[in-house]
Amino acid sequence: MNARGALGRYGEGLAARRLTESGLRIVERNWRCRHGEIDILAAEGDALVVCEVKTRRAGAYEHPMEAVGPRKAQRLRSLAEHWLAGHGGPPPGGVRIDLVGVLLPRRGAPVVQHVRGVA
């Protein structure tokens, strides 16, 4: 695994921990199909939560919370539809797309932000 992949996996681990601490249950991580990948699928009550995780080092690129624009949001919706097609359709509580941003400062603890319903 390269450094970028290791950074992403580290951020996804922090994100999964934040989500479970917030009461969500992790259903699947790194689900892939020929159309792309969903970082984390979780359940909150009877809703399915599709989580995009963005990890950045402080000062390197845009802030992780700015990383999901309209094009990425549409792709996540499409990937969610593909996942649902293979897993029995939408749950009673519907589907929500969340973003978890992980910012790694030069010093100190990582900053993890969870924003619900970004798309």
Side-chain angles (χ1 to χ4, degrees), residues 4-113:
R4 184 173 155 212
L7 179 70
R9 295 285 179 237
Y10 176 69
E12 287 173 10
L14 292 173
R17 185 168 50 186
R18 169 60 60 88
L19 293 169
T20 57
E21 288 170 354
S22 298
L24 282 77
R25 180 179 54 83
I26 304 300
V27 174
E28 192 166 349
R29 288 179 61 176
N30 304 114
W31 177 80
R32 293 177 187 184
C33 70
R34 64 186 178 103
H35 303 286
E37 177 183 10
I38 296 175
D39 295 328
I40 299 174
L41 289 142
E44 185 172 46
D46 60 356
L48 178 70
V49 182
V50 175
C51 297
E52 176 70 8
V53 180
K54 292 295 182 183
T55 305
R56 301 284 191 266
R57 294 188 187 280
Y61 298 98
E62 68 187 348
H63 192 278
M65 302 310 278
E66 298 172 359
V68 177
R71 177 183 254 175
K72 180 65 175 183
Q74 179 55 44
R75 184 174 179 162
L76 289 169
R77 283 191 288 272
S78 175
L79 286 168
E81 290 174 10
H82 287 289
W83 189 89
L84 291 167
H87 292 83
V95 178
R96 185 178 81 222
I97 298 176
D98 290 3
L99 173 61
V100 180
V102 179
L103 186 62
L104 305 174
R106 296 190 194 286
R107 295 183 186 175
V111 177
V112 182
Q113 293 178 290

